[in-house]
Amino acid sequence: MKQNRSNKYNLMIGMMIVLIACNLRAPITGVGSLVNVMRDDLDLSPGMAGFLTTLPVLAFAAVSPVVSTMARKIGAGNLLLLSLLVLNGGILIRSFCGDPGLFFGTAVIGLGIGVGNVLLPAVIKSEFPHRIAFMTSLYTAVMQVVSAVSTAVSVPLAASFGWKGALLLWIVTGVAAFFCSIPGRRLTVSEAAEAPLHKEEGQAGGSLYRKPLAWWITAYMGVQSLLFYSFIAWLSPIMQDRGYGGTEAGYILSVYVILGIIGSCALPLMMAKNRTQSATGIQLGVLYLVGMLLMLLAKGFIPVMAGVVLCGFCSGGCISFAMALFGLHTSNGQDASKISGMAQSLGYLIAAVGPVLLGKVYDLAGGWSAPLVILCCGAVLLIFMGKIVGREEIL
């Protein structure tokens, strides 16, 4: 009987994680498919369009440092419910409060998503400590699936209902996640034991900000996020610049997002096959670089799409790897929440530079080659950092 109750509880928490994951990317990734439509409608410069896609990332960075403290005060379950209310409010503001509401609502959406970004790795560490890679890959794959739907349907929906109507769609998943998370409102994350096991000598205790590995994890989180949000913001315009129509470019962006699903699902297999976590980090960085070089140098449709496929695969693998690091390098849920908050707050500040920087570089260079070179440099950094963050070490 006890085992049956435990299974039901695990299923409930697992379903809650999945439903929240449905809302951690889709409300903002649809903007990438519609960015040219929105630019024409609102007369936005490329820099302002890039800022729009950067706003939620800045919101992630703003809210992440306080999530761990808030979760200890009101409980992780209550905080997740509050974040879903904020998220749904932001979606309504974005669609119903005029042009200023577009920017304000987007920022509010980012605040709601930022809480889930930080807390889900901590919840997984607490509730599924022996299945971190699997559960992390599951929820990041769900993020990618729903994001792919968002990018695929946004342009067709906008043709019928306008871009505001297309973006309003995600109130459905937001409301569903809120009501399905109510049973988990008493959820908390595990606390540190008096003598955590497996910590290397000299590593136990102390501020994360004084630990080199914590900074490397933060840098890895930031660079892989910069690459992802840069592609979400500008892959569709890049493809349109190469002669594809708006709908076709939206589908190509969907391919990028869909391949992220495969990358997320493949991560546990990669980690199980490789003898070290470092090998996984290096492999993902190398594949990302190859994909970007194909997009930069290739001319035909097939090699360019091969580059999109590789980059999409690595986007999913890298975000899953980054999220898994929070649990793999800690011994309890609260520590996972702390490193998650640090890495995501500072990491998303790094990521926020990407869309705006690429938009400015495009303006100056008059083409997409220079921005793609910048992204290639980011992939090189991932190779180097992937080796370091894969070290077998507890913070």
Side-chain angles (χ1 to χ4, degrees):
M1 192 67 157
K2 182 178 179 181
Q3 184 63 39
N4 289 337
R5 287 199 300 268
S6 176
N7 288 339
K8 288 179 64 176
Y9 176 80
N10 288 338
L11 179 61
M12 184 267 290
I13 297 299
M15 290 181 62
M16 185 183 78
I17 289 171
V18 167
L19 285 166
I20 292 174
C22 290
N23 297 276
L24 296 186
R25 291 295 180 272
I28 55 177
T29 53
V31 174
S33 297
L34 299 173
V35 66
N36 280 352
V37 176
M38 297 165 74
R39 281 176 58 187
D40 293 341
D41 186 35
L42 302 176
D43 195 26
L44 298 176
S45 67
M48 285 302 294
F51 178 65
L52 179 64
T53 59
T54 300
L55 258 179
V57 184
L58 292 173
F60 297 167
V63 75
S64 294
V66 301
V67 171
S68 180
T69 301
M70 292 175 65
R72 287 197 302 271
K73 289 184 177 180
I74 69 174
N78 286 328
L79 184 55
L80 285 170
L81 277 176
L82 178 62
S83 73
L84 290 167
L85 279 177
V86 171
L87 169 68
N88 289 322
I91 292 173
L92 293 174
I93 291 170
R94 183 174 63 181
S95 290
F96 290 114
C97 293
D99 294 347
L102 168 64
F103 288 89
F104 180 68
T106 299
V108 172
I109 290 169
L111 293 175
I113 292 175
V115 174
N117 283 341
V118 173
L119 276 186
L120 287 196
V123 170
I124 288 172
K125 178 66 179 181
S126 295
E127 302 297 328
F128 304 96
H130 303 298
R131 308 187 73 186
I132 292 173
F134 171 78
M135 289 301 298
T136 302
S137 295
L138 174 63
Y139 95 78
T140 52
V142 169
M143 287 196 308
Q144 299 284 349
V145 169
V146 186
S147 294
V149 174
S150 175
T151 56
V153 305
S154 291
V155 172
L157 284 175
S160 300
F161 304 105
W163 60 264
K164 293 182 180 180
L167 295 178
L168 182 62
L169 169 68
W170 303 107
I171 194 73
V172 176
T173 58
V175 170
F178 175 81
F179 283 107
C180 291
S181 297
I182 291 176
R185 64 189 180 278
R186 292 190 174 91
L187 183 69
T188 59
V189 294
S190 59
E191 299 182 7
E194 290 185 9
L197 299 177
H198 308 304
K199 286 199 174 188
E200 295 185 358
E201 186 176 352
Q203 289 295 318
S207 171
L208 287 175
Y209 294 94
R210 303 172 78 175
K211 298 181 178 181
L213 180 59
W215 284 103
W216 284 115
I217 293 172
T218 298
Y220 187 90
M221 182 71 194
V223 173
Q224 68 83 26
S225 296
L226 183 150
L227 298 179
F228 174 78
Y229 286 105
S230 294
F231 275 118
I232 289 297
W234 298 118
L235 181 58
S236 180
I238 288 172
M239 292 297 105
Q240 291 180 59
D241 190 62
R242 295 194 172 191
Y244 299 98
T247 300
E248 293 171 315
Y251 288 146
I252 292 173
L253 179 58
S254 296
V255 170
Y256 172 83
V257 177
I258 290 170
L259 264 294
I261 302 166
I262 299 175
S264 294
C265 294
L267 180 70
L269 301 177
M270 293 176 67
M271 295 180 72
K273 182 178 179 181
N274 292 324
R275 291 189 297 175
T276 66
Q277 296 169 22
S278 293
T280 302
I282 292 170
Q283 286 176 356
L284 288 169
V286 169
L287 289 175
Y288 226 150
L289 178 60
V290 171
M292 291 177 193
L293 289 174
L294 284 172
M295 293 180 63
L296 174 63
L297 301 175
K299 300 298 182 182
F301 175 77
I302 292 178
V304 169
M305 284 306 299
V308 172
V309 166
L310 284 174
C311 289
F313 176 89
C314 292
S315 73
C318 285
I319 184 62
S320 294
F321 186 59
M323 294 293 187
L325 292 173
F326 305 148
L328 293 171
H329 288 297
T330 55
S331 58
N332 59 80
Q334 285 197 4
D335 284 351
S337 177
K338 290 176 182 177
I339 183 59
S340 177
M342 173 184 172
Q344 296 199 58
S345 61
L346 300 177
Y348 282 127
L349 284 177
I350 297 172
V353 174
V356 176
L357 174 63
L358 295 192
K360 292 293 185 182
V361 171
Y362 170 77
D363 279 345
L364 293 172
W368 288 107
S369 293
L372 284 170
V373 169
I374 293 174
L375 295 179
C376 288
C377 294
V380 172
L381 286 176
L382 284 187
I383 298 171
F384 173 73
M385 292 187 295
K387 179 180 180 180
I388 296 174
V389 299
R391 293 172 180 168
E392 303 291 335
E393 180 181 323
I394 299 295
L395 290 166

